[in-house]
Amino acid sequence: MKSDHVVIRIFYHVEPTHVRKQQSSFGDAMDRHRQKMEAETDENKKCQWAQKMDRWSNALREVADLKGKDANGRQEAALIEETVKDIFRRLHISSGFPLPQLIGMNNSIKFGTSWLKEASSHTTDILTILGMGGIGKTSLAKYVYTLHSHEFDTSCFIEDISRRCDGKYNGMIDVQKQLYDDISKPSSVQVHDVSIYTSKIESALARKKVFLVLDDIGSLDQLDALLGNKGLHPGSKVIITTTDAWLPRSCELFKLNGKLMHTKYFLDGLLETESQKLLCYHAFMCNDPKEGYEEASKKLVKYCEGHPMALKVLGRSLHNRDITYWEGYIDMLKKENNSPINNVLKMCFDSLPSDNDKELFKHISCFFVGMNIDVTVEILEACSLETRTGITNLIDKCLLSITWNKELAMHQLVQEMGRFMGTENVLGLTLDMGMLEKEKLHGSLELKTDALSKMDRLICYNSIMCKLMGLTRSFQKN
């Protein structure tokens, strides 16, 4: 009889051969059952006993041959942690992601799954997903990862790498730490050098078959720091998403001739039928336009040129709006001269219901992406910004999202738009205390604030508290 159950075999102070051959305590138990069987006077019951013992014996031999873990000579805490992670992977929990809903991307999903299944078990296989921002690269990689990460010894999905590294002193080290902790046993030793972390990652990648997703790689340095040049364990798979087709082929890892197979996949925009489904899903919660909206929907689909993010943002912005509002929105889009996605994002910002929401968007895009929502709310409320309805409005407009671990997230295109708005006035400064501490090692350091004295609306961002919890920040309004 077959079932969908998964057996995780753990030998806890038991020798595998004792299970397989029913020796030691297993043999003693079987002997007791055999004595009961032989003492049975009813032939039918005696036959049932014999059949049951045969099934037990076969089951013990079968389970002894399964791949599993041996507790002998190991710390129990480490074994328990490893087992829990294994269960999470098998239940598709390891990724921390719900399965994304991808409309119009069936062919891309089939390609990604086929690449993963058909790739060689003797080489390292790398798939580079290429395409413009907002085209669906991250969503596709996340879908494939969520479905198949449990099939590997270990797996890791690192999202938004370029944003996390750019402009942040310890950005790359933070990304490296996430990768190393996910694929190896976390270490309490603090590492403050990128090259040292790269060496540790190289050693970990060589030991076991892994499935990695490196999302939004923006530079060659990022790729080399995360993959190194020593090679990965045979059978490992890596998905890279980037807008730069040149990057993967130029990294150090690709110099290992014969040990690496590379595949490129260019993600194009959606077809017209698929675009309409995506727009209608967010605007009407169904696959087709509501009666009276057919022509307006057709115009918006044509305007977005198959760009999934533009379609999603438009649909969410126009949800529950009457046809007059739709037609006015279309007229305003036609007057803009920038790209469709930029125009859509700008109009989405302009349609926010209050100045508070617009200021909230700019604050978050400049300072709080990647931060805990509870800490962010506390800080912004202290700055006289209303967050309860404001954050909800930003989410409704697809300008903001909340990750599974309660961090604020924005698409890179959305964040860039927010950061370049209102640049004529300095609103805030971010102070990286980690960089200042490094400078102290080379001599005395003195901070002077006289240059800021006339900026009466400046918000000073202090990252010292980040070291206490990894979340807490403090803002002071001068």
Side-chain angles (χ1 to χ4, degrees):
M1 181 178 67
K2 295 183 178 180
S3 73
D4 293 330
H5 292 136
V6 175
V7 176
I8 299 178
R9 189 198 69 171
I10 301 174
F11 289 111
Y12 186 75
H13 301 303
V14 173
E15 293 296 330
T17 187
H18 293 166
V19 180
R20 185 178 295 107
K21 297 180 179 180
Q22 288 96 65
Q23 297 175 343
S24 188
S25 60
F26 288 87
D28 295 340
M30 292 296 284
D31 286 341
R32 288 194 295 271
H33 287 301
R34 190 174 290 106
Q35 292 171 7
K36 291 181 180 180
M37 177 191 70
E38 293 174 350
E40 180 60 60
T41 57
D42 187 313
E43 288 299 325
N44 288 333
K45 291 184 178 179
K46 191 171 185 177
C47 182
Q48 291 174 1
W49 263 108
Q51 293 174 353
K52 186 182 295 185
M53 290 183 63
D54 283 341
R55 290 197 299 270
W56 290 345
S57 181
N58 291 334
L60 288 171
R61 284 194 294 269
E62 184 178 347
V63 76
D65 292 332
L66 293 175
K67 181 181 178 181
K69 301 175 177 64
D70 193 339
N72 294 333
R74 299 190 58 185
Q75 292 185 349
E76 292 186 7
L79 177 64
I80 292 172
E81 181 181 2
E82 181 181 314
T83 303
V84 170
K85 287 183 177 180
D86 188 19
I87 293 172
F88 272 31
R89 283 196 296 268
R90 292 172 183 269
L91 294 176
H92 295 191
I93 299 175
S94 61
S95 65
F97 307 123
L99 195 63
Q101 182 173 18
L102 301 184
I103 295 176
M105 297 184 67
N106 290 338
N107 290 337
S108 297
I109 293 171
K110 289 179 181 178
F111 177 86
T113 301
S114 175
W115 167 84
L116 196 66
K117 295 293 186 181
E118 296 177 2
S120 171
S121 60
H122 304 292
T123 61
T124 296
D125 295 273
I126 296 182
L127 171 64
T128 301
I129 303 177
L130 298 157
M132 66 179 295
I135 204 69
K137 302 184 298 296
T138 301
S139 297
L140 175 59
K142 190 176 293 185
Y143 192 99
V144 175
Y145 177 83
T146 304
L147 279 182
H148 300 287
S149 59
H150 67 286
E151 299 170 7
F152 293 79
D153 296 338
T154 188
S155 59
C156 177
F157 188 110
I158 307 182
E159 190 168 3
D160 222 359
I161 291 172
S162 288
R163 182 194 59 78
R164 292 173 61 180
C165 292
D166 290 348
K168 185 178 178 183
Y169 174 63
N170 283 326
M172 176 49 70
I173 290 179
D174 290 343
V175 172
Q176 287 181 307
K177 183 179 187 305
Q178 179 188 340
L179 174 57
Y180 184 75
D181 287 352
D182 281 354
I183 64 176
S184 185
K185 183 179 178 181
S187 172
S188 59
V189 178
Q190 296 294 318
V191 179
H192 302 286
D193 186 274
V194 170
S195 62
I196 294 176
Y197 242 138
T198 299
S199 180
K200 292 169 69 69
I201 290 170
E202 285 175 335
S203 298
L205 291 175
R207 290 195 300 266
K208 61 181 72 175
K209 185 177 74 170
V210 300
F211 181 21
L212 306 181
V213 175
L214 306 180
D215 172 60
D216 189 27
I217 290 289
S219 73
L220 194 57
D221 290 341
Q222 294 168 6
L223 207 51
D224 288 340
L226 294 172
L227 293 180
N229 61 7
K230 305 298 185 186
L232 282 69
H233 190 282
S236 293
K237 317 297 176 194
V238 181
I239 294 180
I240 297 169
T241 73
T242 181
T243 58
D244 190 341
W246 172 82
L247 284 177
R249 272 293 180 187
S250 303
C251 74
E252 290 292 325
L253 190 65
F254 276 76
K255 297 177 182 178
L256 301 173
N257 294 329
K259 297 182 180 180
L260 189 148
M261 301 295 292
H262 182 224
T263 304
K264 291 183 180 181
Y265 184 73
F266 291 88
L267 200 56
D268 296 320
L270 303 180
L271 299 176
E272 184 175 343
T273 301
E274 297 165 337
S275 297
Q276 179 172 284
K277 286 182 180 179
L278 182 58
L279 175 69
C280 292
Y281 174 80
H282 291 287
F284 308 116
M285 301 304 169
C286 59
N287 290 333
D288 300 300
K290 288 171 58 176
E291 185 177 355
Y293 289 78
E294 295 87 354
E295 190 62 30
S297 298
K298 187 176 180 180
K299 291 179 180 179
L300 289 176
V301 165
K302 183 178 180 180
Y303 177 82
C304 290
E305 298 179 343
H307 195 286
M309 186 181 179
L311 291 161
K312 178 181 177 181
V313 171
L314 271 179
R316 295 287 292 272
S317 298
L318 297 172
H319 178 61
N320 280 338
R321 299 289 190 176
D322 59 36
I323 187 60
T324 302
Y325 187 94
W326 277 56
E327 291 171 347
Y329 205 98
I330 293 171
D331 289 340
M332 286 189 289
L333 283 174
K334 290 180 179 179
K335 296 177 182 178
E336 300 289 340
N337 296 319
N338 293 324
S339 68
I341 183 60
N342 288 337
N343 293 339
V344 169
L345 294 176
K346 180 64 168 58
M347 288 191 60
C348 187
F349 170 83
D350 291 338
S351 68
L352 288 170
S354 68
D355 290 339
N356 174 87
D357 292 352
K358 294 176 181 178
E359 289 299 309
L360 186 65
F361 170 74
K362 288 188 282 188
H363 277 70
I364 292 175
S365 63
C366 290
F367 298 110
F368 295 102
V369 173
M371 280 189 59
N372 178 272
I373 184 173
D374 296 328
V375 176
T376 301
V377 166
E378 185 176 355
I379 295 171
L380 292 176
E381 290 284 354
C383 295
S384 301
L385 286 170
E386 199 286 315
T387 61
R388 288 173 296 178
T389 60
I391 288 179
T392 299
N393 291 336
L394 295 183
I395 293 174
D396 289 344
K397 295 286 186 181
C398 290
L399 296 175
L400 181 69
S401 61
I402 311 296
T403 66
W404 63 275
N405 58 344
K406 299 186 68 176
E407 290 183 355
L408 296 173
M410 279 185 182
H411 189 279
Q412 185 176 345
L413 296 177
V414 176
Q415 187 178 12
E416 287 177 358
M417 177 186 70
R419 285 181 167 180
F420 284 102
M421 284 184 169
T423 53
E424 67 276 4
N425 296 316
V426 177
L427 177 65
L429 298 175
T430 301
L431 184 62
D432 192 329
M433 298 303 296
M435 182 178 292
L436 295 179
E437 288 180 357
K438 185 175 181 180
E439 292 296 327
K440 278 185 179 180
L441 298 176
H442 302 290
S444 60
L445 180 67
E446 182 180 2
L447 294 178
K448 296 182 178 181
T449 59
D450 295 345
L452 311 179
S453 60
K454 296 183 179 181
M455 300 181 184
D456 58 359
R457 295 188 68 246
L458 180 67
I459 298 174
C460 298
Y461 180 72
N462 181 355
S463 65
I464 296 177
M465 295 300 292
C466 297
K467 298 181 179 179
L468 299 179
M469 298 176 58
L471 295 173
T472 307
R473 317 278 172 127
S474 64
F475 254 45
Q476 291 179 324
K477 194 168 185 178
N478 294 338

